[in-house]
Amino acid sequence: MASSNRLASWQILNTLVPYGLLWWLALELLQRSPWLLLPVIALQVLFLARCFSLMHDCGHHSLFRNRRANRWCGFLLGVVSGIPQLPWSRGHEYHHRHNGDWEKYQGPSALVSTEAFARLNPSQQRQYGWLRHPLMLFPGGFFYLVIKPRLALLLGLAALLPYTIRSLQESPDRSFQEILASHHSRHWYSPEEFHDLLFNNLAVLALWTAMGATVGAAAFWTIYTPVMTCGAAIFICIFFVQHNFPGSYAHTTEGWNAMAGALEGTSDLELPAVLNWFSADIGCHAIHHLCAAIPNYRLRACNQRNADRLQGVKRLKLSDIPGCFNYILWDPSLGRLTTMASQRSRANQVGAAGA
Protein backbone atom coordinates (compact mmCIF):
# COMPACT_ATOMS: atom_id res chain seq x y z
CA MET A 1 0.00 0.00 0.00
CA ALA A 2 3.05 2.28 0.05
CA SER A 3 2.57 5.05 -2.50
CA SER A 4 5.63 6.66 -4.04
CA ASN A 5 5.60 10.24 -5.30
CA ARG A 6 8.69 9.48 -7.40
CA LEU A 7 7.10 6.50 -9.17
CA ALA A 8 3.81 8.32 -9.56
CA SER A 9 5.48 11.38 -11.09
CA TRP A 10 7.43 9.19 -13.49
CA GLN A 11 4.21 7.45 -14.56
CA ILE A 12 2.52 10.79 -15.23
CA LEU A 13 5.50 11.93 -17.31
CA ASN A 14 5.95 8.70 -19.26
CA THR A 15 2.26 8.80 -20.16
CA LEU A 16 1.39 12.44 -20.88
CA VAL A 17 4.61 13.40 -22.68
CA PRO A 18 4.46 10.56 -25.26
CA TYR A 19 0.71 11.13 -25.64
CA GLY A 20 1.35 14.79 -26.46
CA LEU A 21 4.13 13.89 -28.90
CA LEU A 22 1.85 11.37 -30.61
CA TRP A 23 -0.73 14.12 -31.07
CA TRP A 24 1.92 16.28 -32.76
CA LEU A 25 2.99 13.37 -34.96
CA ALA A 26 -0.61 12.49 -35.87
CA LEU A 27 -1.32 16.07 -36.96
CA GLU A 28 1.85 16.13 -39.04
CA LEU A 29 1.01 12.83 -40.72
CA LEU A 30 -2.55 13.94 -41.40
CA GLN A 31 -1.15 16.71 -43.60
CA ARG A 32 1.77 14.83 -45.18
CA SER A 33 1.28 11.05 -45.04
CA PRO A 34 -2.29 10.14 -43.99
CA TRP A 35 -1.69 6.43 -44.77
CA LEU A 36 0.75 6.29 -41.83
CA LEU A 37 -1.80 7.73 -39.41
CA LEU A 38 -3.42 4.45 -38.32
CA PRO A 39 -0.54 3.02 -36.20
CA VAL A 40 -0.07 6.41 -34.53
CA ILE A 41 -3.77 6.58 -33.63
CA ALA A 42 -3.53 3.03 -32.30
CA LEU A 43 -0.72 4.15 -29.98
CA GLN A 44 -2.71 7.20 -28.94
CA VAL A 45 -5.61 4.93 -27.99
CA LEU A 46 -3.33 2.84 -25.78
CA PHE A 47 -1.86 5.92 -24.09
CA LEU A 48 -5.37 7.28 -23.51
CA ALA A 49 -6.29 3.99 -21.84
CA ARG A 50 -3.23 4.40 -19.61
CA CYS A 51 -4.29 7.98 -18.77
CA PHE A 52 -7.64 6.63 -17.67
CA SER A 53 -6.00 3.90 -15.58
CA LEU A 54 -3.81 6.45 -13.78
CA MET A 55 -6.87 8.65 -13.21
CA HIS A 56 -8.50 5.59 -11.66
CA ASP A 57 -5.59 5.29 -9.20
CA CYS A 58 -5.88 8.98 -8.32
CA GLY A 59 -9.53 8.39 -7.49
CA HIS A 60 -8.49 5.71 -4.98
CA HIS A 61 -5.88 8.16 -3.56
CA SER A 62 -3.21 5.55 -4.24
CA LEU A 63 -1.07 6.99 -7.05
CA PHE A 64 0.57 9.70 -4.91
CA ARG A 65 1.05 9.80 -1.15
CA ASN A 66 -0.63 13.20 -0.91
CA ARG A 67 -4.41 13.48 -1.40
CA ARG A 68 -4.03 16.92 -2.99
CA ALA A 69 -1.56 15.59 -5.56
CA ASN A 70 -3.97 12.77 -6.38
CA ARG A 71 -6.78 15.28 -6.70
CA TRP A 72 -4.95 17.68 -9.03
CA CYS A 73 -3.42 14.97 -11.20
CA GLY A 74 -6.74 13.17 -11.28
CA PHE A 75 -8.42 16.34 -12.53
CA LEU A 76 -5.75 16.81 -15.22
CA LEU A 77 -6.07 13.21 -16.39
CA GLY A 78 -9.84 13.63 -16.36
CA VAL A 79 -9.52 16.57 -18.76
CA VAL A 80 -7.29 14.49 -21.05
CA SER A 81 -9.77 11.61 -20.85
CA GLY A 82 -12.76 13.92 -21.27
CA ILE A 83 -14.45 12.78 -18.05
CA PRO A 84 -14.94 14.52 -14.66
CA GLN A 85 -12.67 12.60 -12.31
CA LEU A 86 -14.36 13.22 -8.95
CA PRO A 87 -17.93 12.14 -9.88
CA TRP A 88 -16.53 9.17 -11.79
CA SER A 89 -14.28 8.11 -8.89
CA ARG A 90 -17.06 8.34 -6.33
CA GLY A 91 -19.33 6.25 -8.55
CA HIS A 92 -16.47 3.78 -8.92
CA GLU A 93 -16.10 3.62 -5.13
CA TYR A 94 -19.78 2.65 -4.96
CA HIS A 95 -19.00 -0.21 -7.33
CA HIS A 96 -16.18 -1.36 -5.03
CA ARG A 97 -18.42 -1.27 -1.95
CA HIS A 98 -21.20 -3.29 -3.61
CA ASN A 99 -19.45 -5.50 -6.18
CA GLY A 100 -21.42 -8.72 -6.59
CA ASP A 101 -24.59 -7.20 -5.10
CA TRP A 102 -26.54 -6.95 -8.33
CA GLU A 103 -29.57 -5.40 -6.70
CA LYS A 104 -27.50 -2.33 -5.85
CA TYR A 105 -25.04 -2.25 -8.74
CA GLN A 106 -25.87 -3.59 -12.20
CA GLY A 107 -22.58 -2.70 -13.85
CA PRO A 108 -21.93 -0.27 -16.74
CA SER A 109 -24.38 -2.18 -18.96
CA ALA A 110 -27.32 -1.96 -16.52
CA LEU A 111 -28.02 -5.69 -16.54
CA VAL A 112 -31.40 -7.03 -15.49
CA SER A 113 -32.42 -10.19 -13.65
CA THR A 114 -33.66 -13.31 -15.40
CA GLU A 115 -37.15 -12.61 -14.04
CA ALA A 116 -37.18 -9.07 -15.48
CA PHE A 117 -35.86 -10.40 -18.81
CA ALA A 118 -38.62 -13.03 -18.94
CA ARG A 119 -41.23 -10.28 -18.66
CA LEU A 120 -39.93 -8.58 -21.83
CA ASN A 121 -41.56 -9.41 -25.16
CA PRO A 122 -39.38 -11.02 -27.87
CA SER A 123 -38.67 -7.69 -29.57
CA GLN A 124 -37.58 -6.10 -26.28
CA GLN A 125 -35.38 -9.11 -25.52
CA ARG A 126 -33.64 -8.78 -28.89
CA GLN A 127 -33.14 -5.07 -28.31
CA TYR A 128 -31.70 -5.80 -24.86
CA GLY A 129 -29.15 -8.15 -26.43
CA TRP A 130 -28.27 -5.77 -29.29
CA LEU A 131 -27.60 -2.87 -26.93
CA ARG A 132 -25.09 -5.04 -25.03
CA HIS A 133 -23.36 -6.44 -28.12
CA PRO A 134 -19.56 -5.90 -28.16
CA LEU A 135 -19.83 -3.63 -31.23
CA MET A 136 -21.84 -1.21 -29.12
CA LEU A 137 -18.63 -0.47 -27.23
CA PHE A 138 -17.69 1.97 -30.00
CA PRO A 139 -20.71 4.29 -30.19
CA GLY A 140 -21.09 3.76 -26.45
CA GLY A 141 -17.46 4.75 -25.90
CA PHE A 142 -17.84 7.99 -27.86
CA PHE A 143 -21.00 8.83 -25.92
CA TYR A 144 -19.34 7.95 -22.60
CA LEU A 145 -16.35 10.30 -22.97
CA VAL A 146 -17.38 12.98 -25.44
CA ILE A 147 -21.12 13.50 -24.98
CA LYS A 148 -22.26 12.21 -21.60
CA PRO A 149 -20.23 14.59 -19.35
CA ARG A 150 -21.39 17.61 -21.37
CA LEU A 151 -24.99 16.38 -21.34
CA ALA A 152 -24.84 15.74 -17.58
CA LEU A 153 -23.82 19.33 -16.93
CA LEU A 154 -26.51 20.79 -19.20
CA LEU A 155 -29.27 18.63 -17.72
CA GLY A 156 -28.05 19.30 -14.20
CA LEU A 157 -27.97 23.07 -14.78
CA ALA A 158 -31.43 22.93 -16.35
CA ALA A 159 -32.74 21.69 -12.99
CA LEU A 160 -30.43 23.79 -10.80
CA LEU A 161 -31.24 27.19 -12.32
CA PRO A 162 -35.02 27.17 -11.63
CA TYR A 163 -34.31 25.73 -8.17
CA THR A 164 -31.89 28.61 -7.53
CA ILE A 165 -34.47 31.18 -8.63
CA ARG A 166 -37.15 29.67 -6.38
CA SER A 167 -34.72 29.52 -3.44
CA LEU A 168 -33.73 33.17 -3.84
CA GLN A 169 -37.36 34.22 -4.07
CA GLU A 170 -38.06 32.43 -0.79
CA SER A 171 -34.82 33.47 0.95
CA PRO A 172 -32.96 36.30 -0.83
CA ASP A 173 -30.04 36.12 1.61
CA ARG A 174 -29.11 32.52 0.80
CA SER A 175 -25.70 32.05 -0.80
CA PHE A 176 -25.22 30.00 -3.94
CA GLN A 177 -23.19 27.45 -1.97
CA GLU A 178 -26.09 26.95 0.44
CA ILE A 179 -28.49 26.56 -2.45
CA LEU A 180 -26.15 24.13 -4.20
CA ALA A 181 -25.72 22.05 -1.02
CA SER A 182 -29.50 21.76 -0.58
CA HIS A 183 -30.19 20.87 -4.21
CA HIS A 184 -30.53 17.16 -5.03
CA SER A 185 -29.38 16.28 -8.53
CA ARG A 186 -28.98 12.89 -10.15
CA HIS A 187 -26.03 14.29 -12.12
CA TRP A 188 -23.91 15.08 -9.05
CA TYR A 189 -24.20 14.17 -5.39
CA SER A 190 -22.29 16.97 -3.67
CA PRO A 191 -21.16 20.55 -4.34
CA GLU A 192 -17.62 19.21 -4.87
CA GLU A 193 -18.84 16.91 -7.63
CA PHE A 194 -20.71 19.80 -9.27
CA HIS A 195 -17.57 21.93 -9.24
CA ASP A 196 -15.52 19.10 -10.75
CA LEU A 197 -18.16 18.50 -13.44
CA LEU A 198 -18.31 22.22 -14.22
CA PHE A 199 -14.56 22.85 -14.35
CA ASN A 200 -13.90 19.66 -16.28
CA ASN A 201 -16.40 20.74 -18.93
CA LEU A 202 -14.95 24.24 -19.09
CA ALA A 203 -11.42 22.84 -19.46
CA VAL A 204 -12.43 20.26 -22.08
CA LEU A 205 -14.40 22.80 -24.12
CA ALA A 206 -11.48 25.25 -23.90
CA LEU A 207 -9.14 22.49 -25.09
CA TRP A 208 -11.43 21.65 -28.01
CA THR A 209 -11.68 25.33 -28.96
CA ALA A 210 -7.94 25.94 -28.70
CA MET A 211 -7.07 22.84 -30.72
CA GLY A 212 -9.68 23.69 -33.34
CA ALA A 213 -8.34 27.22 -33.65
CA THR A 214 -4.70 26.06 -33.80
CA VAL A 215 -4.83 23.03 -36.12
CA GLY A 216 -8.31 23.31 -37.61
CA ALA A 217 -11.53 21.78 -36.33
CA ALA A 218 -11.62 19.12 -39.07
CA ALA A 219 -8.07 17.93 -38.37
CA PHE A 220 -8.64 17.90 -34.62
CA TRP A 221 -11.88 15.91 -34.74
CA THR A 222 -10.51 13.52 -37.38
CA ILE A 223 -7.97 12.34 -34.78
CA TYR A 224 -9.85 13.02 -31.55
CA THR A 225 -12.98 11.04 -32.48
CA PRO A 226 -11.36 7.63 -33.12
CA VAL A 227 -8.92 8.05 -30.21
CA MET A 228 -11.67 8.79 -27.69
CA THR A 229 -14.05 6.22 -29.16
CA CYS A 230 -11.56 3.35 -29.19
CA GLY A 231 -9.90 4.34 -25.91
CA ALA A 232 -13.24 4.28 -24.11
CA ALA A 233 -14.15 0.99 -25.81
CA ILE A 234 -10.97 -0.60 -24.44
CA PHE A 235 -11.40 0.34 -20.81
CA ILE A 236 -15.16 -0.32 -20.81
CA CYS A 237 -14.39 -3.74 -22.30
CA ILE A 238 -11.75 -4.47 -19.65
CA PHE A 239 -14.07 -3.38 -16.86
CA PHE A 240 -16.91 -5.47 -18.30
CA VAL A 241 -15.02 -8.75 -18.60
CA GLN A 242 -13.48 -8.37 -15.15
CA HIS A 243 -16.98 -8.57 -13.67
CA ASN A 244 -19.04 -10.40 -16.30
CA PHE A 245 -17.74 -13.88 -16.99
CA PRO A 246 -18.81 -17.54 -16.62
CA GLY A 247 -19.61 -18.22 -12.97
CA SER A 248 -19.36 -14.58 -11.90
CA TYR A 249 -20.85 -13.99 -8.43
CA ALA A 250 -24.14 -12.08 -8.77
CA HIS A 251 -26.10 -12.12 -5.52
CA THR A 252 -29.11 -10.36 -4.09
CA THR A 253 -28.55 -7.81 -1.31
CA GLU A 254 -29.80 -10.26 1.29
CA GLY A 255 -26.99 -12.71 1.98
CA TRP A 256 -24.48 -10.82 -0.18
CA ASN A 257 -20.88 -11.42 0.89
CA ALA A 258 -18.24 -8.74 0.26
CA MET A 259 -15.37 -11.23 0.17
CA ALA A 260 -17.20 -13.40 -2.37
CA GLY A 261 -17.84 -10.27 -4.39
CA ALA A 262 -14.10 -9.53 -4.45
CA LEU A 263 -12.87 -13.07 -5.14
CA GLU A 264 -15.72 -14.64 -7.14
CA GLY A 265 -17.16 -11.46 -8.67
CA THR A 266 -13.92 -10.29 -10.27
CA SER A 267 -11.57 -11.90 -12.76
CA ASP A 268 -7.86 -11.51 -13.37
CA LEU A 269 -7.08 -10.70 -17.01
CA GLU A 270 -3.86 -12.21 -18.36
CA LEU A 271 -2.44 -9.76 -20.90
CA PRO A 272 0.86 -9.47 -22.79
CA ALA A 273 3.44 -7.43 -20.87
CA VAL A 274 3.06 -4.38 -23.14
CA LEU A 275 -0.71 -4.30 -22.56
CA ASN A 276 -0.16 -4.72 -18.82
CA TRP A 277 1.89 -1.53 -18.98
CA PHE A 278 -0.74 0.41 -20.90
CA SER A 279 -3.51 -0.80 -18.57
CA ALA A 280 -1.38 -0.10 -15.45
CA ASP A 281 -1.68 -3.76 -14.37
CA ILE A 282 -5.42 -3.50 -13.75
CA GLY A 283 -5.57 -7.10 -14.98
CA CYS A 284 -4.58 -7.98 -11.40
CA HIS A 285 -8.11 -7.12 -10.47
CA ALA A 286 -9.06 -9.33 -7.53
CA ILE A 287 -6.20 -8.03 -5.37
CA HIS A 288 -7.27 -4.51 -6.37
CA HIS A 289 -10.79 -5.22 -5.10
CA LEU A 290 -9.44 -6.68 -1.89
CA CYS A 291 -7.42 -3.50 -1.29
CA ALA A 292 -7.99 -0.51 -3.57
CA ALA A 293 -5.26 1.44 -1.74
CA ILE A 294 -2.53 -0.58 -3.50
CA PRO A 295 -1.05 1.66 -6.24
CA ASN A 296 -0.86 0.17 -9.72
CA TYR A 297 2.95 -0.09 -9.57
CA ARG A 298 2.63 -2.47 -6.57
CA LEU A 299 -0.30 -4.57 -7.85
CA ARG A 300 1.62 -7.28 -9.66
CA ALA A 301 4.03 -7.88 -6.76
CA CYS A 302 1.09 -8.03 -4.33
CA ASN A 303 -0.73 -10.38 -6.68
CA GLN A 304 2.25 -12.75 -6.84
CA ARG A 305 2.93 -12.58 -3.11
CA ASN A 306 -0.69 -13.50 -2.30
CA ALA A 307 -1.13 -16.07 -5.06
CA ASP A 308 -2.14 -18.78 -2.56
CA ARG A 309 -5.06 -16.63 -1.39
CA LEU A 310 -6.20 -15.94 -4.95
CA GLN A 311 -6.29 -19.48 -6.33
CA GLY A 312 -10.08 -19.43 -6.75
CA VAL A 313 -10.10 -16.23 -8.80
CA LYS A 314 -11.24 -16.65 -12.41
CA ARG A 315 -8.38 -16.06 -14.85
CA LEU A 316 -9.19 -14.89 -18.34
CA LYS A 317 -7.08 -14.77 -21.50
CA LEU A 318 -7.61 -12.45 -24.45
CA SER A 319 -9.34 -15.29 -26.30
CA ASP A 320 -11.91 -15.51 -23.48
CA ILE A 321 -13.07 -11.91 -23.84
CA PRO A 322 -15.68 -12.36 -26.63
CA GLY A 323 -17.48 -15.10 -24.67
CA CYS A 324 -17.80 -12.86 -21.62
CA PHE A 325 -20.18 -10.59 -23.51
CA ASN A 326 -22.78 -13.36 -23.46
CA TYR A 327 -23.11 -13.01 -19.67
CA ILE A 328 -25.59 -10.17 -19.59
CA LEU A 329 -28.25 -11.54 -17.23
CA TRP A 330 -28.09 -12.28 -13.54
CA ASP A 331 -29.92 -15.19 -11.97
CA PRO A 332 -30.83 -14.37 -8.35
CA SER A 333 -31.78 -17.99 -7.66
CA LEU A 334 -28.29 -19.23 -8.57
CA GLY A 335 -26.38 -16.12 -7.45
CA ARG A 336 -24.51 -16.12 -10.75
CA LEU A 337 -24.52 -14.39 -14.13
CA THR A 338 -26.01 -16.29 -17.04
CA THR A 339 -26.60 -15.94 -20.78
CA MET A 340 -29.68 -15.14 -22.83
CA ALA A 341 -29.38 -18.52 -24.54
CA SER A 342 -29.34 -20.34 -21.20
CA GLN A 343 -32.32 -18.34 -19.99
CA ARG A 344 -34.35 -19.11 -23.13
CA SER A 345 -33.45 -22.79 -22.94
CA ARG A 346 -34.52 -22.86 -19.32
CA ALA A 347 -37.79 -21.09 -20.17
CA ASN A 348 -38.47 -23.59 -22.97
CA GLN A 349 -37.88 -26.51 -20.61
CA VAL A 350 -40.26 -25.03 -18.06
CA GLY A 351 -42.85 -24.46 -20.77
CA ALA A 352 -42.47 -28.03 -22.07
CA ALA A 353 -42.81 -29.44 -18.56
CA GLY A 354 -45.95 -27.35 -17.98
CA ALA A 355 -47.48 -28.56 -21.25
Side-chain angles (χ1 to χ4, degrees):
M1 292 169 57
S3 297
S4 165
N5 288 341
R6 180 181 61 82
L7 290 175
S9 299
W10 172 236
Q11 287 196 321
I12 295 293
L13 286 173
N14 68 26
T15 302
L16 291 182
V17 172
Y19 186 59
L21 291 174
L22 285 168
W23 258 100
W24 171 82
L25 180 58
L27 290 166
E28 287 291 313
L29 290 175
L30 185 63
Q31 300 298 324
R32 302 179 183 183
S33 307
W35 56 89
L36 296 176
L37 193 58
L38 193 58
V40 175
I41 287 181
L43 277 174
Q44 286 179 285
V45 167
L46 291 174
F47 272 100
L48 179 66
R50 182 166 166 84
C51 285
F52 192 90
S53 295
L54 297 183
M55 184 194 78
H56 160 264
D57 264 31
C58 289
H60 286 299
H61 306 292
S62 63
L63 190 65
F64 292 89
R65 287 184 297 180
N66 182 278
R67 288 180 72 91
R68 182 172 293 183
N70 282 307
R71 182 72 190 91
W72 281 105
C73 281
F75 179 82
L76 172 63
L77 292 166
V79 172
V80 173
S81 303
I83 195 164
Q85 182 261 331
L86 187 62
W88 183 89
S89 296
R90 289 186 174 174
H92 185 68
E93 284 289 348
Y94 185 88
H95 152 67
H96 269 260
R97 290 196 304 271
H98 302 289
N99 189 53
D101 181 349
W102 284 77
E103 281 187 303
K104 290 188 175 178
Y105 184 79
Q106 292 79 37
S109 300
L111 304 190
V112 303
S113 68
T114 49
E115 289 88 347
F117 182 77
R119 291 194 294 268
L120 301 177
N121 63 45
S123 176
Q124 290 172 324
Q125 290 182 354
R126 286 194 295 272
Q127 185 182 40
Y128 178 87
W130 292 337
L131 289 174
R132 288 153 184 83
H133 190 277
L135 288 178
M136 291 302 294
L137 287 169
F138 297 98
F142 181 82
F143 175 80
Y144 187 70
L145 289 188
V146 178
I147 298 175
K148 185 180 177 182
R150 278 25 92 195
L151 188 61
L153 179 63
L154 291 174
L155 293 175
L157 287 175
L160 176 62
L161 291 177
Y163 178 81
T164 301
I165 294 170
R166 289 195 305 270
S167 298
L168 290 174
Q169 288 173 342
E170 295 169 2
S171 304
D173 296 332
R174 293 187 75 187
S175 69
F176 178 71
Q177 288 303 317
E178 290 173 331
I179 294 171
L180 184 61
S182 65
H183 176 62
H184 300 287
S185 173
R186 66 187 186 91
H187 302 288
W188 59 79
Y189 297 100
S190 69
E192 294 79 14
E193 289 188 25
F194 166 74
H195 291 139
D196 195 84
L197 178 64
L198 174 64
F199 290 122
N200 173 272
N201 272 281
L202 291 174
V204 169
L205 292 174
L207 179 65
W208 292 354
T209 303
M211 289 294 289
T214 303
V215 304
F220 171 67
W221 285 100
T222 296
I223 297 169
Y224 191 75
T225 298
V227 169
M228 300 300 279
T229 298
C230 296
I234 285 176
F235 49 74
I236 293 172
C237 174
I238 290 176
F239 181 86
F240 185 92
V241 303
Q242 291 191 310
H243 300 288
N244 299 57
F245 51 86
S248 180
Y249 180 79
H251 213 278
T252 56
T253 300
E254 184 178 358
W256 168 76
N257 182 279
M259 187 63 73
L263 296 178
E264 300 173 39
T266 62
S267 67
D268 278 359
L269 186 57
E270 298 176 358
L271 298 170
V274 64
L275 295 184
N276 281 326
W277 188 85
F278 280 112
S279 62
D281 276 330
I282 200 59
C284 301
H285 207 61
I287 194 77
H288 170 65
H289 265 265
L290 286 171
C291 182
I294 302 169
N296 73 83
Y297 41 81
R298 311 267 191 231
L299 272 178
R300 188 155 299 278
C302 284
N303 201 60
Q304 293 169 352
R305 187 172 298 175
N306 294 278
D308 58 323
R309 296 176 175 87
L310 302 170
Q311 289 180 358
V313 173
K314 180 74 172 180
R315 285 173 170 77
L316 300 175
K317 297 180 179 179
L318 283 173
S319 58
D320 297 320
I321 288 178
C324 291
F325 281 91
N326 293 320
Y327 289 82
I328 55 175
L329 293 172
W330 72 282
D331 190 332
S333 63
L334 298 178
R336 290 289 183 268
L337 293 185
T338 188
T339 67
M340 289 172 56
S342 296
Q343 173 62 11
R344 286 170 178 153
S345 175
R346 193 172 170 187
N348 291 336
Q349 290 174 1
V350 171

